[in-house]
Amino acid sequence: MSATDSFRVYLDHAATTPVRSEVSERVFDVMNRFFGNASSIYTEGQEAKRLLEESRDQVASVFNANGSEIYFTSGGTESDNWAIKGVALRNIGKKNHIITSAIEHHAVLHTCKSLEKLGFRITYLPVDPEGLVQPADLESALDEDTCLVSIMTANNEIGTIQPIKKLAEIARSHGVLFHTDAVQAAGVIPLDVRDLGVDLMSVSGHKIYAPKGVGALYIRKGVRLDNLFDGGAQEYNKRAGTENLPYIAGLAKALTLANTEMAETSERITVIRDRLIRSVLSEIPHVRLNGHPTQRLPGNANFSFEFIEGESLLLLLDHYGFSCSSGSACTSGSLDPSHVLLAIGLPHEIAHGSLRISIGRDNTEKDVLRIVPVLGKIAERLRAMSPLYDDYTKCLGSNETPCERCGQQNH
Amino acid sequence: MLYSDKVMDHFMNPRNVGEITDATATGTVGNAKCGDIMKVYLKIENDRILDAKFKTFGCGSAIATSSMATEMIIGKTLDEALSLTNKAVAEALDGLPPIKMHCSLLAEQAVKAALKEYFENNGGIPEDKQEYFEVLQEDEHSV
């Protein structure tokens, strides 16, 4: 377990991705050649406008949407805020109920919390131990006051992919709009808005090898929602602010590349992920996999290491050259571990010991699997100094079940 | 970097990890639910701490403050050990990020919990030392 200064394996692609060279070249090219304001009527402006509409069409074609249904934003957070607040404010005083899930990204959860202050009633649907929303739960939560259902396509922590088509169909059958936060899924798994039947869909650039600060919201033709930003007439009067053309062109480039390469990339990364999961579970004791065994994002592996706290694990992994993330309280900046891990039923102490490895297109199988022996040694080292592991090993010698000292069952 | 070089040094190479099998007193504070537990073992003779060891489940700063706190009390008299504060531990580590200050209280509380056990097994806590143990009533997460 020796570290060199240069050896690094980046395994946190669910947090952000490096910008692809094809994308950064495109961004710089547009930045250098097309500085005009797309709202201006002279040549520079009209060239920018043409490029803007080309980019819109490119993004639309990836999701089988029409160009007029794609609106560029500053990223996933803005798209989520716009979709939810936009529909809510459109319906305020008429329909004041929104349904979402307990495992959404904070961009959705905190938006819903802020709407609660305006008098909206929010239902947070539970998920099963593998992170799936049950269609029957959605069915029974819908009522005549519901104006919106917002369920993420795939979870950022545990990678579970929701049955969006089924959920959207239930919402539609009640005449209720359906939004999905597809920030983790867009460019990674096939998304056809017509087939899925969604009304609104959030997309982000920096999860798919485009720069930070750009995203899009799909708004199905005919869906009415209030604007989040007021000002000029950009984005067909729906999203004011001079368009960030270089990044928009970069987003279109990144999505087009991702879509073209999707089948090959997804297959290759899934193989690596499954080998990683098998290796970790078979070679390191007291580890469990979080999330769904098969209905999960190709690059996502999320484990809980018992008797270990996640931040310590991350610091040691970083020392040995691996960049990962954890749902422990200490890495979230709050006192509670990840709301996602608690929602799938993990006890606090197990949630504190979680590790998310998210594999990207630049990772080789060899590099990813190099983490396994390192993880094994780190787990051993941290357990050796963990009073919880002490209690566990001492209890192994006794017959107390369930154990009151260490809280563990079945040992 | 989130942590100072000194915190990283004590996290990567923690001093005094382990148990003292014939410990004079032990103290355990924190709980797994909150993500940190520290257990400290003290060997005390003639009102002096001859040795201290710890086991900690927690984040980088919890482990580093455990290491530093035990370093700071080894060889000290009980009175000196009683005056150890979480602030002094944090300062000895060249500071902690604000959201991590509660971890340093964990270390102070663990030492105090062990000293409390020692006094209670040896005739009770002297009246003039009661104030040192008030910290055990504090919620570490309010710091």
Side-chain angles (χ1 to χ4, degrees), chain B residues 81-128:
Chain B
L82 276 173
S83 61
L84 178 84
T85 63
N86 73 308
K87 204 160 157 273
V89 176
E91 276 169 14
L93 287 166
D94 292 340
L96 288 172
I99 59 159
K100 297 289 188 173
M101 279 305 287
H102 72 263
C103 299
S104 61
L105 190 64
L106 187 79
E108 182 191 338
Q109 286 178 327
V111 170
K112 298 267 164 82
L115 290 171
K116 184 166 181 260
E117 184 183 283
Y118 175 77
F119 282 118
E120 283 169 350
N121 291 339
N122 290 275
I125 300 172
E127 196 58 41
D128 63 332

Short mmCIF file of all heavy atoms in Angstrom, two decimals, chain B residues 81-128:
data_model
loop_
_atom_site.label_atom_id
_atom_site.label_comp_id
_atom_site.label_asym_id
_atom_site.label_seq_id
_atom_site.Cartn_x
_atom_site.Cartn_y
_atom_site.Cartn_z
N ALA B 81 -4.01 17.37 33.92
CA ALA B 81 -4.88 16.70 32.94
C ALA B 81 -6.31 17.26 33.01
O ALA B 81 -6.98 17.41 31.99
CB ALA B 81 -4.89 15.19 33.17
N LEU B 82 -6.73 17.60 34.21
CA LEU B 82 -8.08 18.14 34.38
C LEU B 82 -8.24 19.49 33.69
O LEU B 82 -9.33 19.85 33.26
CB LEU B 82 -8.41 18.30 35.87
CG LEU B 82 -8.93 17.07 36.58
CD1 LEU B 82 -9.03 17.34 38.08
CD2 LEU B 82 -10.29 16.65 36.03
N SER B 83 -7.15 20.22 33.59
CA SER B 83 -7.26 21.55 32.98
C SER B 83 -7.14 21.51 31.45
O SER B 83 -7.18 22.54 30.78
CB SER B 83 -6.23 22.51 33.58
OG SER B 83 -4.95 22.02 33.32
N LEU B 84 -7.01 20.29 30.89
CA LEU B 84 -6.99 20.16 29.42
C LEU B 84 -8.34 20.62 28.85
O LEU B 84 -9.39 20.19 29.30
CB LEU B 84 -6.75 18.69 29.03
CG LEU B 84 -6.75 18.41 27.52
CD1 LEU B 84 -5.37 18.69 26.93
CD2 LEU B 84 -7.14 16.97 27.22
N THR B 85 -8.29 21.49 27.85
CA THR B 85 -9.55 21.92 27.21
C THR B 85 -9.55 21.53 25.74
O THR B 85 -8.49 21.32 25.14
CB THR B 85 -9.71 23.46 27.27
OG1 THR B 85 -8.64 24.05 26.52
CG2 THR B 85 -9.70 23.96 28.70
N ASN B 86 -10.73 21.47 25.18
CA ASN B 86 -10.82 21.12 23.76
C ASN B 86 -10.15 22.19 22.90
O ASN B 86 -9.56 21.89 21.86
CB ASN B 86 -12.28 20.89 23.34
CG ASN B 86 -13.09 22.17 23.23
OD1 ASN B 86 -13.12 22.96 24.16
ND2 ASN B 86 -13.73 22.36 22.09
N LYS B 87 -10.20 23.43 23.37
CA LYS B 87 -9.58 24.53 22.64
C LYS B 87 -8.06 24.32 22.56
O LYS B 87 -7.45 24.52 21.51
CB LYS B 87 -9.90 25.85 23.35
CG LYS B 87 -9.84 27.04 22.46
CD LYS B 87 -10.63 28.21 23.06
CE LYS B 87 -10.12 29.52 22.50
NZ LYS B 87 -8.99 30.10 23.24
N ALA B 88 -7.48 23.88 23.71
CA ALA B 88 -6.03 23.65 23.73
C ALA B 88 -5.64 22.51 22.79
O ALA B 88 -4.61 22.58 22.10
CB ALA B 88 -5.59 23.33 25.16
N VAL B 89 -6.49 21.48 22.74
CA VAL B 89 -6.21 20.35 21.83
C VAL B 89 -6.27 20.84 20.38
O VAL B 89 -5.38 20.54 19.57
CB VAL B 89 -7.22 19.20 22.05
CG1 VAL B 89 -7.00 18.08 21.04
CG2 VAL B 89 -7.13 18.66 23.46
N ALA B 90 -7.29 21.62 20.07
CA ALA B 90 -7.43 22.13 18.71
C ALA B 90 -6.26 23.04 18.34
O ALA B 90 -5.72 22.96 17.23
CB ALA B 90 -8.75 22.88 18.56
N GLU B 91 -5.85 23.87 19.29
CA GLU B 91 -4.72 24.78 19.02
C GLU B 91 -3.43 24.00 18.80
O GLU B 91 -2.62 24.34 17.93
CB GLU B 91 -4.55 25.78 20.17
CG GLU B 91 -5.46 26.98 20.02
CD GLU B 91 -5.49 27.85 21.28
OE1 GLU B 91 -4.63 27.67 22.16
OE2 GLU B 91 -6.40 28.70 21.35
N ALA B 92 -3.25 22.94 19.58
CA ALA B 92 -2.04 22.12 19.44
C ALA B 92 -1.99 21.46 18.06
O ALA B 92 -0.91 21.09 17.58
CB ALA B 92 -1.99 21.07 20.54
N LEU B 93 -3.15 21.34 17.44
CA LEU B 93 -3.22 20.74 16.09
C LEU B 93 -3.21 21.82 15.00
O LEU B 93 -3.54 21.55 13.85
CB LEU B 93 -4.50 19.90 15.95
CG LEU B 93 -4.50 18.57 16.72
CD1 LEU B 93 -5.92 18.01 16.80
CD2 LEU B 93 -3.58 17.54 16.07
N ASP B 94 -2.85 23.04 15.39
CA ASP B 94 -2.85 24.19 14.47
C ASP B 94 -4.25 24.49 13.95
O ASP B 94 -4.43 24.92 12.80
CB ASP B 94 -1.90 23.96 13.27
CG ASP B 94 -0.44 23.95 13.72
OD1 ASP B 94 -0.16 24.49 14.81
OD2 ASP B 94 0.40 23.41 12.98
N GLY B 95 -5.24 24.22 14.79
CA GLY B 95 -6.62 24.58 14.45
C GLY B 95 -7.40 23.48 13.73
O GLY B 95 -6.81 22.58 13.14
N LEU B 96 -8.72 23.59 13.84
CA LEU B 96 -9.64 22.67 13.16
C LEU B 96 -10.65 23.51 12.40
O LEU B 96 -10.95 24.63 12.79
CB LEU B 96 -10.39 21.82 14.19
CG LEU B 96 -9.61 20.72 14.93
CD1 LEU B 96 -10.48 20.15 16.03
CD2 LEU B 96 -9.19 19.61 13.96
N PRO B 97 -11.20 22.99 11.31
CA PRO B 97 -12.27 23.72 10.62
C PRO B 97 -13.43 23.93 11.61
O PRO B 97 -13.67 23.06 12.45
CB PRO B 97 -12.70 22.77 9.50
CG PRO B 97 -11.58 21.80 9.34
CD PRO B 97 -10.91 21.68 10.67
N PRO B 98 -14.13 25.07 11.54
CA PRO B 98 -15.20 25.36 12.50
C PRO B 98 -16.19 24.22 12.71
O PRO B 98 -16.54 23.91 13.85
CB PRO B 98 -15.89 26.58 11.89
CG PRO B 98 -14.84 27.24 11.07
CD PRO B 98 -13.95 26.16 10.55
N ILE B 99 -16.60 23.55 11.61
CA ILE B 99 -17.61 22.49 11.78
C ILE B 99 -17.04 21.25 12.48
O ILE B 99 -17.77 20.33 12.80
CB ILE B 99 -18.26 22.04 10.44
CG1 ILE B 99 -17.23 21.53 9.46
CG2 ILE B 99 -19.11 23.14 9.84
CD1 ILE B 99 -17.84 20.63 8.38
N LYS B 100 -15.71 21.24 12.69
CA LYS B 100 -15.09 20.08 13.33
C LYS B 100 -14.73 20.33 14.79
O LYS B 100 -14.17 19.46 15.44
CB LYS B 100 -13.81 19.69 12.57
CG LYS B 100 -14.06 19.26 11.14
CD LYS B 100 -14.73 17.92 11.09
CE LYS B 100 -14.80 17.42 9.66
NZ LYS B 100 -15.31 16.07 9.60
N MET B 101 -15.04 21.53 15.30
CA MET B 101 -14.65 21.81 16.68
C MET B 101 -15.29 20.84 17.67
O MET B 101 -14.72 20.53 18.70
CB MET B 101 -14.99 23.26 17.06
CG MET B 101 -13.97 24.28 16.57
SD MET B 101 -12.27 23.93 17.11
CE MET B 101 -12.38 24.37 18.87
N HIS B 102 -16.49 20.35 17.34
CA HIS B 102 -17.15 19.42 18.28
C HIS B 102 -16.33 18.14 18.47
O HIS B 102 -16.41 17.51 19.50
CB HIS B 102 -18.58 19.11 17.84
CG HIS B 102 -18.68 18.23 16.63
ND1 HIS B 102 -18.85 18.73 15.37
CD2 HIS B 102 -18.62 16.89 16.50
CE1 HIS B 102 -18.91 17.72 14.51
NE2 HIS B 102 -18.77 16.61 15.17
N CYS B 103 -15.52 17.78 17.47
CA CYS B 103 -14.69 16.57 17.59
C CYS B 103 -13.67 16.74 18.72
O CYS B 103 -13.32 15.78 19.40
CB CYS B 103 -13.94 16.27 16.30
SG CYS B 103 -15.04 15.97 14.92
N SER B 104 -13.17 17.99 18.88
CA SER B 104 -12.16 18.20 19.92
C SER B 104 -12.80 18.11 21.30
O SER B 104 -12.15 17.72 22.27
CB SER B 104 -11.44 19.53 19.72
OG SER B 104 -12.36 20.60 19.80
N LEU B 105 -14.09 18.44 21.37
CA LEU B 105 -14.78 18.31 22.66
C LEU B 105 -14.92 16.83 23.03
O LEU B 105 -14.83 16.46 24.20
CB LEU B 105 -16.15 18.99 22.61
CG LEU B 105 -16.84 19.11 23.97
CD1 LEU B 105 -16.04 20.01 24.90
CD2 LEU B 105 -18.25 19.65 23.83
N LEU B 106 -15.10 16.00 22.01
CA LEU B 106 -15.19 14.55 22.25
C LEU B 106 -13.94 14.07 23.00
O LEU B 106 -14.04 13.30 23.95
CB LEU B 106 -15.31 13.84 20.89
CG LEU B 106 -15.58 12.34 20.92
CD1 LEU B 106 -17.06 12.08 21.20
CD2 LEU B 106 -15.20 11.69 19.59
N ALA B 107 -12.77 14.54 22.56
CA ALA B 107 -11.51 14.11 23.18
C ALA B 107 -11.43 14.61 24.62
O ALA B 107 -11.06 13.86 25.53
CB ALA B 107 -10.32 14.62 22.36
N GLU B 108 -11.80 15.89 24.83
CA GLU B 108 -11.76 16.42 26.19
C GLU B 108 -12.72 15.63 27.09
O GLU B 108 -12.39 15.25 28.21
CB GLU B 108 -12.14 17.91 26.20
CG GLU B 108 -12.07 18.51 27.61
CD GLU B 108 -12.71 19.90 27.72
OE1 GLU B 108 -12.82 20.60 26.70
OE2 GLU B 108 -13.07 20.28 28.85
N GLN B 109 -13.91 15.37 26.56
CA GLN B 109 -14.91 14.65 27.35
C GLN B 109 -14.46 13.23 27.70
O GLN B 109 -14.71 12.75 28.80
CB GLN B 109 -16.25 14.60 26.59
CG GLN B 109 -16.98 15.94 26.60
CD GLN B 109 -18.27 15.90 25.79
OE1 GLN B 109 -18.36 15.19 24.80
NE2 GLN B 109 -19.26 16.67 26.22
N ALA B 110 -13.79 12.57 26.75
CA ALA B 110 -13.35 11.20 27.00
C ALA B 110 -12.32 11.17 28.13
O ALA B 110 -12.36 10.31 29.02
CB ALA B 110 -12.77 10.59 25.72
N VAL B 111 -11.38 12.12 28.11
CA VAL B 111 -10.37 12.21 29.17
C VAL B 111 -11.05 12.49 30.51
O VAL B 111 -10.78 11.83 31.52
CB VAL B 111 -9.32 13.31 28.84
CG1 VAL B 111 -8.42 13.57 30.04
CG2 VAL B 111 -8.50 12.91 27.62
N LYS B 112 -11.99 13.43 30.49
CA LYS B 112 -12.70 13.78 31.73
C LYS B 112 -13.53 12.60 32.25
O LYS B 112 -13.62 12.38 33.46
CB LYS B 112 -13.61 15.00 31.51
CG LYS B 112 -12.86 16.28 31.10
CD LYS B 112 -12.51 17.13 32.28
CE LYS B 112 -11.45 18.19 31.98
NZ LYS B 112 -12.01 19.39 31.35
N ALA B 113 -14.11 11.86 31.33
CA ALA B 113 -14.94 10.70 31.74
C ALA B 113 -14.07 9.66 32.44
O ALA B 113 -14.49 9.05 33.43
CB ALA B 113 -15.65 10.10 30.53
N ALA B 114 -12.86 9.47 31.92
CA ALA B 114 -11.95 8.50 32.54
C ALA B 114 -11.50 9.01 33.92
O ALA B 114 -11.45 8.26 34.89
CB ALA B 114 -10.75 8.24 31.64
N LEU B 115 -11.20 10.30 34.00
CA LEU B 115 -10.77 10.87 35.29
C LEU B 115 -11.91 10.83 36.31
O LEU B 115 -11.68 10.58 37.50
CB LEU B 115 -10.29 12.32 35.09
CG LEU B 115 -8.96 12.47 34.33
CD1 LEU B 115 -8.68 13.92 34.00
CD2 LEU B 115 -7.79 11.87 35.13
N LYS B 116 -13.13 11.01 35.83
CA LYS B 116 -14.30 10.93 36.71
C LYS B 116 -14.39 9.53 37.32
O LYS B 116 -14.59 9.38 38.52
CB LYS B 116 -15.56 11.26 35.90
CG LYS B 116 -16.84 11.32 36.68
CD LYS B 116 -17.95 11.97 35.85
CE LYS B 116 -19.25 12.08 36.63
NZ LYS B 116 -20.19 11.01 36.26
N GLU B 117 -14.22 8.53 36.44
CA GLU B 117 -14.27 7.15 36.93
C GLU B 117 -13.17 6.92 37.97
O GLU B 117 -13.40 6.27 39.00
CB GLU B 117 -14.09 6.17 35.75
CG GLU B 117 -14.24 4.72 36.16
CD GLU B 117 -13.98 3.74 35.01
OE1 GLU B 117 -14.89 3.59 34.17
OE2 GLU B 117 -12.88 3.16 34.97
N TYR B 118 -11.99 7.49 37.69
CA TYR B 118 -10.87 7.33 38.63
C TYR B 118 -11.23 7.91 40.00
O TYR B 118 -11.06 7.26 41.02
CB TYR B 118 -9.61 8.00 38.07
CG TYR B 118 -8.46 7.98 39.06
CD1 TYR B 118 -7.72 6.82 39.27
CD2 TYR B 118 -8.16 9.10 39.83
CE1 TYR B 118 -6.70 6.79 40.20
CE2 TYR B 118 -7.13 9.09 40.76
CZ TYR B 118 -6.40 7.92 40.95
OH TYR B 118 -5.39 7.89 41.87
N PHE B 119 -11.73 9.15 40.01
CA PHE B 119 -12.08 9.78 41.29
C PHE B 119 -13.19 9.03 42.00
O PHE B 119 -13.15 8.84 43.21
CB PHE B 119 -12.48 11.25 41.07
CG PHE B 119 -11.31 12.16 40.85
CD1 PHE B 119 -11.16 12.87 39.68
CD2 PHE B 119 -10.33 12.32 41.86
CE1 PHE B 119 -10.08 13.71 39.48
CE2 PHE B 119 -9.24 13.17 41.66
CZ PHE B 119 -9.11 13.87 40.46
N GLU B 120 -14.19 8.60 41.23
CA GLU B 120 -15.32 7.90 41.84
C GLU B 120 -14.89 6.58 42.48
O GLU B 120 -15.45 6.15 43.48
CB GLU B 120 -16.43 7.69 40.82
CG GLU B 120 -17.22 8.98 40.59
CD GLU B 120 -18.16 8.94 39.40
OE1 GLU B 120 -18.09 7.96 38.61
OE2 GLU B 120 -18.96 9.88 39.24
N ASN B 121 -13.86 5.95 41.89
CA ASN B 121 -13.35 4.71 42.47
C ASN B 121 -12.39 4.97 43.61
O ASN B 121 -11.88 4.05 44.24
CB ASN B 121 -12.63 3.87 41.40
CG ASN B 121 -13.61 3.32 40.38
OD1 ASN B 121 -14.80 3.24 40.66
ND2 ASN B 121 -13.10 2.96 39.21
N ASN B 122 -12.05 6.24 43.83
CA ASN B 122 -11.08 6.57 44.85
C ASN B 122 -11.63 7.63 45.80
O ASN B 122 -11.00 8.65 46.06
CB ASN B 122 -9.76 7.05 44.24
CG ASN B 122 -9.01 5.92 43.54
OD1 ASN B 122 -8.27 5.16 44.14
ND2 ASN B 122 -9.26 5.78 42.24
N GLY B 123 -12.84 7.40 46.27
CA GLY B 123 -13.39 8.27 47.31
C GLY B 123 -14.25 9.42 46.82
O GLY B 123 -14.66 10.25 47.62
N GLY B 124 -14.51 9.51 45.52
CA GLY B 124 -15.41 10.56 45.01
C GLY B 124 -14.66 11.77 44.47
O GLY B 124 -13.47 11.97 44.74
N ILE B 125 -15.39 12.57 43.69
CA ILE B 125 -14.79 13.75 43.08
C ILE B 125 -14.65 14.84 44.14
O ILE B 125 -15.64 15.22 44.77
CB ILE B 125 -15.67 14.27 41.92
CG1 ILE B 125 -15.81 13.18 40.85
CG2 ILE B 125 -15.07 15.54 41.31
CD1 ILE B 125 -16.82 13.52 39.76
N PRO B 126 -13.43 15.34 44.35
CA PRO B 126 -13.23 16.41 45.34
C PRO B 126 -14.09 17.63 44.96
O PRO B 126 -14.26 17.92 43.77
CB PRO B 126 -11.74 16.74 45.23
CG PRO B 126 -11.12 15.55 44.58
CD PRO B 126 -12.17 14.96 43.70
N GLU B 127 -14.60 18.31 45.99
CA GLU B 127 -15.50 19.45 45.79
C GLU B 127 -14.90 20.50 44.86
O GLU B 127 -15.56 21.00 43.95
CB GLU B 127 -15.81 20.08 47.16
CG GLU B 127 -17.01 21.02 47.17
CD GLU B 127 -18.30 20.33 46.69
OE1 GLU B 127 -18.55 19.15 47.07
OE2 GLU B 127 -19.03 20.98 45.92
N ASP B 128 -13.61 20.77 45.04
CA ASP B 128 -12.97 21.83 44.25
C ASP B 128 -12.68 21.41 42.81
O ASP B 128 -12.17 22.20 42.02
CB ASP B 128 -11.68 22.30 44.94
CG ASP B 128 -10.64 21.19 45.02
OD1 ASP B 128 -11.05 19.99 45.05
OD2 ASP B 128 -9.43 21.47 45.04
#
